[in-house]
Amino acid sequence: MIMLELLKKTFAGKKVFLTGHTGFKGAWMLQVLNWLGAEVQGYSLAPENKNDLYNEIGGEELCRSSVIADVRDLNRVQTELVRFEPDFVFHLAAQALVRPSYQEPVDTFATNVMGTAHVLEAMRRLPGRCTGVMITTDKVYENPERGQAFREEDKLGGHDPYSASKAAAEIVIASYIRSFFSEADFSKHQKSVASVRAGNVIGGGDRSVDRIVPDIVRAIEFGDKVTLRNPSSVRPWQHVLEPIGAYLLLAARMYQQPTAYNAAFNFGPDHTDEKTVEDLTRIFLSVFHQEDAYQKNTDTTAVHEARLLMLDSTKAKEILGWTPRLSAEEAIRWTAEWYADKSQSAAQKCTQQIQTYFEKFQ
């Protein structure tokens, strides 16, 4: 309960500017912040579908205000953020998928690179103290797929436009920290900024196109077999509450010691806890008693996606005292059980898992 007490003490009554609040991870983050007693202003594009999690949980009612706008609009970002005068900024807004980045590379770079620069520039214009956590991805690393778990100091890179855009965003973040938010000048600028790199998140309510869990759920709903593009690919699967808890813990530590954590942090499962796409699919389907309801894709023309990707979270464990609470299998089962439970609303299911995660496992 020590972590929960710290989070409640830190965020209760605080003003939080949350970009990407209408997205899958953003909707979970919005619920956790609301549960902790924070006042949230969201800034994001509108939800794409009626059954997106944000709509299912009544996300608008969880916000002090919800701004539907684009992070590519510098003037709007700056106006809304400076007017709100937040204590914390969590920047989640992004074009977050690999395959669509091949179709719209320029939009991907504009959103992920310039969108991040716009949020940081808006923070620079903010007169008071503010703590900012910039969310990127585990895919920011140059990945030769040799089996090593990536550490924060490893080389940045990216084969596909999505990964490259997020690596570029990391460079932008580091530049702003060094140029405008240095530790030595904190008394003048009063800004603390860190970047965070998390793995492939899964959880209830994800309706995205081209992601494995929503693909499985749609196949179950239509009575089809799931088609696996890369069944042997290894990913750092983690329940969405794992990185959210980590982001909040980091922000709380930054609030306590504003010059001590202005850096990059990995938040991933133990790198020995490896599961392939096929492993995830079988475990997920087992909750529905359909373990074999999948098939492997034989298309050899598919675009490049990394087949092996793991993070080393030693830094977060040693400096922040953070460790993952759920194994990959538990994360998969929690997710499948969320979709399988038809007795509760989406908001009730999320609240139940939030309470269990933060009260039982911390």
Side-chain angles (χ1 to χ4, degrees):
M1 295 293 286
I2 295 175
M3 177 179 167
L4 179 56
E5 290 170 4
L6 171 62
L7 296 185
K8 287 185 173 179
K9 179 180 178 181
T10 301
F11 291 101
K14 295 296 195 304
K15 296 165 72 174
V16 178
F17 190 84
L18 174 63
T19 73
H21 69 296
T22 64
F24 162 63
K25 190 190 286 188
W28 274 94
M29 185 72 156
L30 175 60
Q31 291 175 98
V32 175
L33 286 167
N34 188 268
W35 184 68
L36 292 173
E39 296 181 27
V40 180
Q41 175 165 313
Y43 185 104
S44 182
L45 297 177
E48 293 183 356
N49 305 296
K50 287 184 178 180
N51 66 345
D52 281 353
L53 183 60
Y54 179 78
N55 289 330
E56 289 192 329
I57 63 171
E60 187 126 353
E61 297 176 7
L62 302 181
C63 299
R64 174 170 164 177
S65 62
S66 174
V67 178
I68 301 302
D70 199 319
V71 291
R72 293 174 293 184
D73 185 341
L74 172 59
N75 290 334
R76 188 70 185 277
V77 172
Q78 189 166 297
T79 297
E80 297 295 344
L81 192 148
V82 172
R83 181 186 294 157
F84 186 57
E85 296 184 328
D87 301 293
F88 295 90
V89 172
F90 291 94
H91 175 46
L92 278 71
Q95 192 301 92
L97 298 171
V98 171
R99 286 164 65 87
S101 77
Y102 282 100
Q103 300 163 5
E104 299 290 345
V106 174
D107 285 347
T108 297
F109 281 104
T111 299
N112 295 350
V113 183
M114 293 310 301
T116 300
H118 293 166
V119 172
L120 290 165
E121 183 63 14
M123 284 186 64
R124 188 164 79 93
R125 302 296 179 182
L126 194 64
R129 180 181 173 185
C130 188
T131 299
V133 176
M134 307 290 118
I135 286 77
T136 62
T137 177
D138 58 349
K139 298 175 181 64
V140 297
Y141 297 105
E142 186 69 32
N143 186 4
E145 303 193 48
R146 294 173 183 159
Q148 79 271 27
F150 293 105
R151 299 174 65 91
E152 289 83 351
E153 62 270 20
D154 286 336
K155 183 179 178 181
L156 299 176
H159 183 286
D160 57 88
Y162 167 72
S163 302
S165 72
K166 284 296 194 174
E170 286 280 356
I171 295 172
V172 170
I173 296 162
S175 174
Y176 264 81
I177 292 172
R178 293 169 183 153
S179 301
F180 307 114
F181 306 141
S182 68
E183 296 175 11
D185 293 328
F186 176 78
S187 62
K188 297 178 182 178
H189 59 72
Q190 295 187 288
K191 308 298 185 297
S192 302
V193 174
S195 67
V196 291
R197 305 160 182 176
N200 281 47
V201 297
I202 57 176
D206 189 357
R207 305 293 182 185
S208 304
V209 176
D210 220 25
R211 281 169 57 86
I212 182 61
V213 166
D215 287 348
I216 296 172
V217 172
R218 281 187 285 269
I220 291 171
E221 290 175 348
F222 288 99
D224 297 330
K225 282 196 170 186
V226 185
T227 299
L228 306 183
R229 290 196 307 270
N230 300 300
S232 61
S233 292
V234 175
R235 295 285 185 271
W237 309 108
Q238 55 186 168
H239 192 273
V240 64
L241 289 174
E242 295 271 43
I244 285 175
Y247 304 159
L248 293 168
L249 176 61
L250 173 59
R253 298 294 189 205
M254 293 168 71
Y255 190 77
Q256 289 178 323
Q257 297 177 269
T259 63
Y261 303 101
N262 297 341
F265 287 88
N266 286 340
F267 296 116
D270 290 332
H271 56 83
T272 56
D273 190 13
E274 296 183 356
K275 290 284 184 291
T276 66
V277 170
E278 186 171 5
D279 292 334
L280 177 146
T281 303
R282 290 185 67 86
I283 294 168
F284 194 102
L285 288 171
S286 70
V287 174
F288 294 84
H289 309 291
Q290 299 180 35
E291 291 90 333
D292 299 320
Y294 69 91
Q295 59 191 0
K296 300 177 184 180
N297 188 6
T298 57
D299 181 9
T300 59
T301 64
V303 298
H304 175 272
E305 294 182 79
R307 295 185 178 277
L308 181 61
L309 181 57
M310 296 299 291
L311 294 177
D312 185 327
S313 302
T314 301
K315 179 179 176 181
K317 294 174 182 177
E318 293 180 348
I319 295 178
L320 300 175
W322 176 84
T323 56
R325 266 56 181 185
L326 300 173
S327 68
E329 180 163 350
E330 288 172 322
I332 296 164
R333 290 192 179 279
W334 271 39
T335 302
E337 289 163 1
W338 191 101
Y339 287 100
D341 182 359
K342 304 300 182 183
S343 66
Q344 301 184 85
S345 69
Q348 289 172 328
K349 291 186 286 188
C350 290
T351 299
Q352 184 180 70
Q353 291 192 342
I354 289 168
Q355 290 175 335
T356 300
Y357 182 81
F358 285 99
E359 292 178 356
K360 181 178 180 180
F361 289 102
Q362 301 302 325

